[in-house]
Amino acid sequence: MSLDDTGRRAPATAQNALWSWTRDVPRARRRPISSAVSSAVKDSTAVPIAAGHTPGPGVGGDADTSLPVPPASGGQRSCSSSTPTAPQVRGDALRMLACVRVATARQMAQVITAEDADGRSYVRRAMRKLAEQGLAETNGKQGKELIWNLTRAGLRAVADGNELPARPRVGTGAKAVRAGFGPHALAVTETILAVGGRHYLTDWQVEVNHAIKETGLTFNTDAVLNVPGKAAEVGLYEIDNGTMSRAKLAREVWDYERYAGHRVWEGARGTIGGTFPFWSRYRYTRSSRFPPLHVVLAGKEEHLLQRRLEALAAAVDGIAVSVFATTLPALQRREGWVRLGTDHPDRRRERYPEPVGR
């Protein structure tokens, strides 16, 4: 993210850490994959997967949560620049799919190995082995590429290692792919890779539900990035693959203002009490402002995406939450975001009625 939740540029250290690619880092910095991971990918049973992260600087001094750094590609191979071993590829594939849910061999090779075409062949062999072990499966194609996801056994293998945050209700993505939503799911994965590559990959969650029971408001955010640190940096990401109407897309963006504007009353009986934003009390408790929303447009030719972006800007004019938008091709070229809305807590408080106390 080049902008924080207030629209200002993020600190240089955090911004560089989030956007930089690490394929040219010497292999000496890599931590060898643990024996637990090797056991998980060699044994047909779902053995817990241990951490395989590379220690490094993180936001706020926390440990780096990226996947292990792949060796540099090209040139002569040596002991300091070689292809990851088969167990390493399988272990990294399990971790990546546990985070992004679905991916093709090309997308996984982009993160796991330093090679392009050769990298895909390594990943394909690894995925076939994981499928034989019952840890991964494929339920559709994107062109000629198979779409891969973990099975329930694969999710348990990752969860039992306590490497990723607890996600008891996370799905495998298989139903979505079989239902024909594979292109949208892959666009979400493509966005995650374009935003930060392998950096903070394990801090992404996909299909995150936001609901307020009192008002009946409920919607799923395609992807949420929660960067670790003393003050958590949270980013909300909505990916439009060109399949919904412009009006529906605008309504989905306005849902975020309605969610941010809802307040709850708190106070003991017999006291005056007070009201507080629902999101700050029950969802993003470490964030000082409502997290910024990033809308990524994909699935069409770029000139059509630009028209769609212009229409969205007009439809959400005056929205009182931070909203940024771009197209997926522009994001992959590292171009800047277009601001569509600014965070205004006072304006939200005027628009949405206060809850009645006891």
Side-chain angles (χ1 to χ4, degrees):
M1 288 179 292
S2 59
L3 299 170
D4 64 11
D5 56 356
T6 62
R8 297 189 298 270
R9 287 195 174 276
T13 54
Q15 182 176 338
N16 293 339
L18 190 60
W19 282 96
S20 62
W21 296 81
T22 58
R23 292 180 175 173
D24 296 327
V25 179
R27 185 178 175 83
R29 289 183 56 190
R30 293 189 62 182
R31 178 188 297 177
I33 199 162
S34 67
S35 58
V37 176
S38 300
S39 299
V41 295
K42 289 180 180 179
D43 195 346
S44 59
T45 58
V47 181
I49 298 175
H53 291 164
T54 301
V59 177
D62 288 68
D64 183 17
T65 54
S66 61
L67 288 178
V69 179
S73 62
Q76 296 180 346
R77 297 185 184 276
S78 64
C79 60
S80 62
S81 178
S82 60
T83 302
T85 64
Q88 287 174 330
V89 175
R90 292 196 291 268
D92 284 351
L94 285 170
R95 282 187 286 271
M96 178 174 174
L97 287 176
C99 298
V100 303
R101 190 173 296 184
V102 300
T104 63
R106 177 190 62 79
Q107 291 173 326
M108 286 186 278
Q110 184 177 338
V111 172
I112 297 172
T113 73
E115 290 81 2
D116 185 12
D118 289 342
R120 288 186 227 178
S121 64
Y122 296 135
V123 172
R124 290 191 186 105
R125 286 196 293 270
M127 297 312 298
R128 286 196 293 268
K129 184 65 174 178
L130 291 176
E132 292 173 3
Q133 297 170 346
L135 301 178
E137 64 181 0
T138 178
N139 290 281
K141 287 185 175 182
Q142 174 81 323
K144 296 182 179 180
E145 287 274 5
L146 293 174
I147 302 175
W148 290 94
N149 62 269
L150 296 186
T151 61
R152 288 292 177 186
L155 288 175
R156 286 195 299 270
V158 177
D160 290 346
N162 294 321
E163 179 179 353
L164 301 179
R167 299 167 185 173
R169 297 183 180 180
V170 67
T172 64
K175 291 183 179 179
V177 175
R178 288 196 293 265
F181 296 109
H184 178 268
L186 292 179
V188 174
T189 301
E190 205 69 40
T191 298
I192 291 173
L193 298 182
V195 169
R198 63 192 301 109
H199 277 292
Y200 307 114
L201 187 61
T202 58
D203 293 304
W204 286 92
Q205 292 189 57
V206 296
E207 288 297 316
V208 178
N209 182 253
H210 293 81
I212 300 176
K213 184 177 180 180
E214 291 82 354
T215 64
L217 177 65
T218 180
F219 58 89
N220 288 337
T221 302
D222 288 325
V224 175
L225 174 61
N226 195 335
V227 179
K230 294 181 180 179
E233 297 180 26
V234 180
L236 310 176
Y237 288 78
E238 278 289 344
I239 292 82
D240 167 46
N241 206 37
T243 56
M244 69 177 75
S245 67
R246 294 179 178 181
K248 183 178 180 181
L249 175 60
R251 285 197 301 270
E252 288 195 355
V253 174
W254 279 104
D255 280 343
Y256 285 88
E257 188 197 82
R258 287 186 278 272
Y259 184 86
H262 184 70
R263 300 178 69 86
V264 292
W265 185 89
E266 290 185 3
R269 291 185 180 276
T271 64
I272 297 177
T275 62
F276 303 90
F278 175 87
W279 64 267
S280 67
R281 273 294 190 265
Y282 299 105
R283 198 52 186 264
Y284 302 110
T285 57
R286 297 177 61 192
S287 298
S288 58
R289 288 179 175 269
F290 186 73
L293 172 64
H294 302 76
V295 182
V296 180
L297 306 179
K300 294 181 178 292
E301 295 181 6
E302 193 160 6
H303 71 281
L304 297 177
L305 296 179
Q306 288 294 339
R307 294 179 187 174
R308 199 168 176 83
L309 193 156
E310 293 169 1
L312 178 63
V316 301
D317 183 41
I319 195 168
V321 292
S322 290
V323 181
F324 303 95
T326 189
T327 66
L328 182 55
L331 182 62
Q332 292 170 327
R333 294 193 298 265
R334 309 296 177 84
E335 296 179 5
W337 294 83
V338 178
R339 176 183 283 279
L340 304 185
T342 304
D343 187 63
H344 281 293
D346 293 337
R347 188 186 302 172
R348 291 199 301 266
R349 196 163 185 174
E350 293 174 358
R351 291 179 177 177
Y352 300 95
E354 295 282 324
V356 179
R358 293 191 181 95

